Amino acid sequence: MAEDSSWMTAGAGECAPSAELHPEIAHPARIYNALIGGKDNFAADRLVAEQLSAAVPETVAGAKANRAFLGRAVRAAAALGVRQFLDIGTGIPTAGNTHEVAQAVDSSARVAYVDNDPIVLAHARALMSGSGHGATSVTRADLRDPEALLAAPGVRDLLDFTEPVALMLVAILHFISDDEDPYGIVKQLVGALPVGSLLVLSHGSGDLVTPEQAERAERSYDPAAAGIHLRTRDDVARFFDGLTLLDPGLVIAPHWRPDTPPDAAADRLGIYTGLARL
């Protein structure tokens, strides 16, 4: 069973032991932080980010487009009346976090964050220790153990699973290998949600780069705590089986309900995105 480290059940000032951080091992959350220009990363994380960018020059733009998609999708979910969010693989807090966007629409929105990286936990707890964050929790759990994740107090005590929930799987499933059954994981999580819930998903793909670039990008993660597994558009579409994709369907991140018209370079950003209703 995954360890529950919700700030709701632990002191807000408590931080994970530094020995758990393993700065010598790159972690997806910290690599992503480095890609979008954050400061909460180590040399090992920056090295992977540099290798990724060398393999696929559009990587940084893709990471930023993915972050922008998250904000638009949360606003769309809130506009549909959903007031509960389960954000798995939340990453290190930065501007435009899920709770900030959702609670700007409705201050009663509840947001349960989940990540398996102790440095994410430490930063999130620090962020949540002040006032003005509404009903928000942060839990340490692993997507690969959905049963434990759903049972964690920081999730189960905050969210009402008889009411619609927006399940946020943004840029996380490409860190789950085929052997770890990503489709089964999503099916189990979706199966725990009531009708009217939403699935918000983004996933890296090698469709829009050469096979050599895709292979180099995947190899960049060899020294990291989790490898990356780029999937085709058809593979990503399988995560939505049995659900109703809302407009504009499954599209490259900048094309999902953009606030401004995307430029021509947007078509080269290999991040597929979609929002579906159960």
Side-chain angles (χ1 to χ4, degrees):
M1 299 289 283
E3 173 195 358
D4 172 59
S5 302
S6 167
W7 74 280
M8 297 175 69
T9 56
E14 176 189 346
C15 291
S18 60
E20 285 193 272
L21 297 183
H22 298 296
E24 76 284 1
I25 301 175
H27 188 281
R30 300 194 298 262
I31 296 167
Y32 186 80
N33 180 263
L35 286 171
I36 62 175
K39 305 297 184 184
D40 301 305
N41 48 74
F42 299 115
D45 308 306
R46 293 190 290 275
L47 178 60
V48 173
E50 291 165 4
Q51 291 174 340
L52 266 173
S53 297
V56 181
E58 294 81 12
T59 296
V60 170
K64 292 179 178 179
N66 177 76
R67 185 70 184 179
F69 159 74
L70 181 147
R72 297 196 302 275
V74 170
R75 288 196 298 272
L80 290 169
V82 175
R83 295 295 179 262
Q84 302 188 107
F85 297 80
L86 175 54
D87 188 340
I88 302 176
T90 176
I92 294 169
T94 185
N97 298 295
T98 297
H99 76 280
E100 293 171 325
V101 178
Q103 291 170 1
V105 177
D106 187 330
S107 60
S108 70
R110 297 190 292 258
V111 180
Y113 290 113
V114 176
D115 206 286
N116 69 352
D117 183 17
I119 200 170
V120 169
L121 222 65
H123 281 274
R125 284 179 179 163
L127 175 67
M128 301 303 169
S129 63
S131 60
H133 298 295
T136 309
S137 68
V138 185
T139 297
R140 186 179 179 189
D142 198 308
L143 176 59
R144 291 165 291 193
D145 190 350
E147 182 178 357
L149 187 157
L150 291 167
V155 174
R156 183 60 59 177
D157 293 350
L158 183 69
L159 303 181
D160 178 357
F161 283 86
T162 67
E163 298 291 334
V165 175
L167 172 62
M168 311 283 297
L169 295 173
V170 176
I172 181 65
L173 286 167
H174 46 232
F175 297 114
I176 306 296
S177 70
D178 290 341
D179 291 342
E180 293 167 320
D181 190 17
Y183 299 104
I185 289 170
V186 173
K187 184 176 181 180
Q188 187 170 348
L189 290 170
V190 168
L193 305 179
V195 173
S197 293
L198 302 172
L199 172 61
V200 177
L201 184 150
S202 68
H203 195 299
S205 175
D207 281 359
L208 304 181
V209 297
T210 67
E212 293 75 18
Q213 285 178 303
E215 183 181 357
R216 285 180 61 197
E218 290 186 333
R219 285 204 312 266
S220 297
Y221 274 84
D222 285 350
I228 194 167
H229 309 276
L230 302 177
R231 295 185 169 97
T232 67
R233 186 184 186 282
D234 287 345
D235 290 335
V236 177
R238 284 183 56 198
F239 289 112
F240 294 100
D241 282 354
L243 308 181
T244 302
L245 268 167
L246 304 185
D247 288 339
L250 183 62
V251 295
I252 297 298
H255 292 283
W256 198 92
R257 303 188 186 182
D259 296 322
T260 57
D263 59 29
D267 292 333
R268 299 194 296 273
L269 305 184
I271 305 284
Y272 285 114
T273 57
L275 183 153
R277 191 193 297 273
L278 277 64

